[in-house]
Amino acid sequence: MSDAERIQELEVKIAFLERHIGEQDRVVLGLSEKIATLETRLQSLRERLERGSEGPMPADERPPHY
């Protein structure tokens, strides 16, 4: 294998790795945003549970016709 062929092979591998790293960055960013959303929702649910003694949650209420 000549030097030119080895250099070309290395350039192809570098291009592949750069694209792969970019894709991983996007996935990690998306997961980070999803985790932040879930943490916010979890905190909201915790607060609702702590207030649970103030009355039933809307899903537990009976309809007015009962």
Side-chain angles (χ1 to χ4, degrees):
M1 184 181 281
S2 70
D3 287 342
E5 290 172 333
R6 279 193 247 155
I7 289 173
Q8 184 178 6
E9 186 178 326
L10 289 172
E11 288 175 344
V12 169
K13 287 180 180 182
I14 289 171
F16 171 79
L17 291 172
E18 286 176 341
R19 189 180 80 223
H20 185 69
I21 289 170
E23 291 172 3
Q24 284 184 329
D25 286 345
R26 283 189 292 279
V27 168
V28 169
L29 179 61
L31 290 173
S32 176
E33 291 171 353
K34 190 172 240 179
I35 288 171
T37 300
L38 290 171
E39 286 176 337
T40 302
R41 292 177 67 187
L42 179 60
Q43 181 62 33
S44 174
L45 288 171
R46 282 183 180 151
E47 290 171 0
R48 286 177 61 189
L49 284 174
E50 288 173 2
R51 292 190 315 250
S53 60
E54 297 173 8
M57 291 185 168
D60 294 338
E61 292 179 2
R62 288 184 156 217
H65 62 277
Y66 275 101

